[in-house]
Amino acid sequence: MARVIGILPNQEQVGGLIDSLRNAGFDRKDMIVSSLFKPFASRQEPEEIAYLKTERDELWQEGTGAYADFLTQYAGQGVAVAVEAPRHEVARIRTIMEQNGAAKIIQD
């Protein structure tokens, strides 16, 4: 499995991305949406970042440090949409994210 995270500059773009991902066959349970507009506390540990709109918290039980560090860099700059999917789907997810206005995309 792989995780792909896209940063969308506008909250209004999130619904379109989620709809596009769902129409492409990805399950909403495999997605996490986290607002980056709410400023992080300056002394907050990356592991304490609250992820919003997740239906499966276990997606982030292991290995959250790298993602939390990544998201901290973009605090105040949009909304993060993360998708967990088989590795062979990564290119398709990236394409969908790009088509829906993702300003930055990372994967593991």
Side-chain angles (χ1 to χ4, degrees):
M1 295 296 273
R3 290 185 195 128
V4 182
I5 302 173
I7 304 296
L8 299 160
N10 299 306
Q11 191 167 357
E12 294 78 25
Q13 297 171 290
V14 174
L17 174 56
I18 290 173
D19 288 345
S20 294
L21 289 166
R22 289 182 66 202
N23 290 338
F26 298 101
D27 194 324
R28 176 62 180 93
K29 292 180 182 178
D30 295 327
M31 298 177 212
I32 297 172
V33 179
S34 179
S35 175
L36 302 176
F37 287 115
K38 184 176 179 181
F40 295 107
S42 60
R43 288 156 190 71
Q44 187 176 33
E45 293 298 318
E47 292 81 9
E48 295 176 329
I49 294 173
Y51 291 95
L52 308 175
K53 302 284 187 182
T54 179
E55 295 179 19
R56 285 183 36 205
D57 290 334
E58 68 270 15
L59 286 177
W60 292 93
Q61 291 297 319
E62 296 182 14
T64 60
Y67 296 102
D69 290 344
F70 170 78
L71 294 178
T72 300
Q73 296 174 41
Y74 294 93
Q77 296 184 27
V79 178
V81 177
V83 181
E84 184 175 274
R87 290 200 182 277
H88 69 273
E89 296 284 14
V90 167
R92 194 162 72 120
I93 293 169
R94 290 179 67 91
T95 298
I96 293 168
M97 287 182 168
E98 288 170 0
Q99 290 171 346
N100 281 274
K104 177 79 175 169
I105 301 171
I106 64 159
Q107 68 190 57
D108 76 341

